[in-house]
Amino acid sequence: MKKIVSGIIALACATSMFAVDFAAKVSMEGDVASGVIDINDKDQATATKDGTLNFWNLGAVNQYDGKEFLTLSGNGDKSGATVTIGYPYKGTGDDMGLTVRGASLWFKPIDMVKVTIGSVEDITLRETMDYWKVPDGMAAAGHQTYSWSSYATVSGPGLLAEVTPISGLRVSVGIAAGTAKNFAELKFNDTEDETYTKWGIAAMYNLQGVINQPINAAVSFRDDGKDGVKIAAIGAEYGNRYGDGFYGMVNARFRFENWSYSYVDKSTKTAAFIGTKHELTVENALQAVAFDTMFRYATGAFNVMARFPVTIRTVQNAKAIENGYKDPSWMSYEIKATYAIGAFSPYLDIENDNAVTFDDAFAESFLKMNVQPGVSFNVGACALDLGLKIAVPNAKGTNLNWSIPFTTSVAF
């Protein structure tokens, strides 16, 4: 703990010796209170007879969503560095649980080339509401893990080179070999093939100077390794996402990966065996097309944002469907309206991060949402957000879950 603090002080002192803009941000989140209201049918054998009430829970800040406990950065014209530190709020004394989430440095050998070493994340088009939850084509069954990702080429410890050869065009190439690993490893024997690590390439072009319209277009490809997923993307955005008027973004991601399915042919059942087992395998099959979306409209003090990413899963084999294989397409959604009144910005946020599946469960899963009225405001350099989140019950006998979440940060 003392070493980390000493390092932070040293970084701040060092930046004062050069023409570097130093910035720091501390963030925290949690619940002021949370609980469950018992609305179950008392006639049900499994009904909960009592509700619960909890006060003050400080979040662990474990997700990689830009809410790290501490972010430090120092940037100049030709070089810079960023360090993010996590704090899972455990332990006492010297065992405070502080961990370095990421560290990177960048430099420009020439004006049109920027090289980043360390923790890299390459982005082209990304919505700003819940960008860490953007689907990349994965199945509905696993969508709530943080393998959702909006990065275009690579994410993780590695190397990223960005080139701006002409005005409005950005081209990037990256590798993410991790730590203590080679980018490529060749196996010289009869049983193993060559392996390689994550890499990707992307291009983004501003068309304002060509067609006089505020449009950014982007294409990208990322390869997560020899046996990893491959994702190609193409998309565009229109307007200024932070200005007045309309803004819209659509980015289509095509997910390719190895696909396999096992089933038993019961028509071959005998006294000794339940049937013949079959294995269906396709390498680098198109698993899904995921449409990442965000729309925003702002006028004066009023602002409304919406996202409804949709994932269309492909069917790999008719025989799999015949034997009960289910892999439905799905979506999620969020709508947030904000109205600024002086220093306060009241809002209403309606969100469904569950997999709203396009099958018999569509209606039930669509209504499984969270409704959160709240307000955001500043106290000096401290930004705060406080709301009341209610999980809308979507079936008879479901308890009502509620919480009063907060987020707060101070930037220096």
Side-chain angles (χ1 to χ4, degrees):
M1 175 67 177
K2 294 179 180 178
K3 292 181 179 179
I4 293 177
V5 174
S6 299
I8 293 171
I9 296 173
L11 177 61
C13 293
T15 55
S16 64
M17 300 171 61
F18 306 96
V20 175
D21 293 328
F22 177 77
K25 182 179 180 181
V26 178
S27 301
M28 292 185 182
E29 62 177 3
D31 293 326
V32 175
S34 62
V36 178
I37 299 175
D38 180 10
I39 60 173
N40 272 313
D41 183 349
K42 300 304 186 208
D43 293 333
Q44 296 184 50
T46 58
T48 301
K49 304 304 180 184
D50 299 296
T52 60
L53 179 62
N54 304 299
F55 285 104
W56 189 253
N57 174 44
L58 199 58
V61 197
N62 283 326
Q63 65 268 34
Y64 291 83
D65 58 7
K67 296 179 181 178
E68 290 84 2
F69 166 68
L70 177 62
T71 302
L72 302 170
S73 64
N75 293 291
D77 294 334
K78 294 292 185 179
S79 61
T82 299
V83 177
T84 56
I85 296 173
Y87 181 25
Y89 306 112
K90 65 179 181 180
T92 57
D94 291 333
D95 182 22
M96 296 299 290
L98 287 174
T99 58
V100 176
R101 288 266 181 83
S104 64
L105 61 86
W106 64 269
F107 60 91
K108 288 186 175 181
I110 56 177
D111 286 341
M112 68 174 61
V113 178
K114 179 181 178 181
V115 179
T116 303
I117 300 172
S119 302
V120 296
E121 184 178 55
D122 190 19
I123 301 296
T124 53
L125 302 172
R126 180 168 71 179
E127 57 97 350
T128 57
M129 296 183 72
D130 288 320
Y131 61 83
W132 64 95
K133 300 175 183 175
V134 173
D136 60 5
M138 69 167 52
H143 80 285
Q144 288 187 327
T145 66
Y146 285 99
S147 56
W148 292 22
S149 178
S150 59
Y151 67 88
T153 63
V154 293
S155 177
L159 173 70
L160 178 67
E162 302 169 79
V163 183
T164 53
I166 59 175
S167 177
L169 175 63
R170 170 185 172 270
V171 179
S172 61
V173 180
I175 61 172
T179 56
K181 293 182 179 179
N182 295 321
F183 168 63
E185 182 179 1
L186 303 180
K187 304 289 187 178
F188 296 102
N189 56 51
D190 295 333
T191 60
E192 295 181 281
D193 297 324
E194 71 279 3
T195 62
Y196 58 89
T197 191
K198 300 177 182 179
W199 68 278
I201 185 169
M204 188 168 179
Y205 187 54
N206 188 319
L207 298 173
Q208 180 74 54
V210 179
I211 61 175
N212 196 30
Q213 292 292 329
I215 297 176
N216 284 319
V219 294
S220 62
F221 177 78
R222 84 181 204 223
D223 186 334
D224 284 356
K226 174 67 175 178
D227 297 315
V229 63
K230 283 80 172 153
I231 296 179
I234 181 170
E237 62 180 351
Y238 176 89
N240 181 357
R241 67 175 59 191
Y242 303 110
D244 288 342
F246 172 80
Y247 168 83
M249 184 208 78
V250 178
N251 196 22
R253 296 188 178 91
F254 301 82
R255 182 186 184 97
F256 299 86
E257 62 183 327
N258 297 339
W259 179 87
S260 63
Y261 175 73
S262 299
Y263 71 96
V264 175
D265 183 359
K266 294 184 179 180
S267 65
T268 60
K269 182 178 179 180
T270 66
F273 302 97
I274 61 171
T276 303
K277 186 176 181 180
H278 297 273
E279 184 81 20
L280 305 174
T281 302
V282 184
E283 292 187 359
N284 292 326
L286 177 62
Q287 289 279 43
V289 182
F291 296 92
D292 182 12
T293 60
M294 175 182 165
F295 302 96
R296 176 181 179 271
Y297 182 76
T299 175
F302 178 73
N303 179 78
V304 60
M305 296 187 294
R307 68 176 181 98
F308 45 90
V310 176
T311 297
I312 307 299
R313 296 287 292 182
T314 61
V315 177
Q316 305 299 340
N317 193 291
K319 195 68 176 178
I321 297 178
E322 180 183 327
N323 285 273
Y325 176 74
K326 294 182 179 180
D327 188 1
S329 299
W330 60 280
M331 65 171 289
S332 61
Y333 62 85
E334 181 176 8
I335 302 172
K336 183 177 182 179
T338 304
Y339 191 85
I341 305 175
F344 295 86
S345 295
Y347 65 83
L348 176 63
D349 192 343
I350 300 174
E351 179 182 37
N352 189 334
D353 274 337
N354 302 283
V356 181
T357 53
F358 297 123
D359 55 14
D360 294 342
F362 177 82
E364 180 180 349
S365 57
F366 185 85
L367 295 174
K368 193 177 181 181
M369 68 182 75
N370 293 320
V371 178
Q372 180 175 332
V375 61
S376 58
F377 57 97
N378 292 340
V379 179
C382 182
L384 297 106
D385 188 298
L386 187 66
L388 171 62
K389 180 183 288 187
I390 300 174
V392 177
N394 67 323
K396 181 180 179 181
T398 301
N399 286 329
L400 180 67
N401 293 271
W402 64 274
S403 62
I404 303 176
F406 75 89
T407 59
T408 180
S409 64
V410 176
F412 303 95

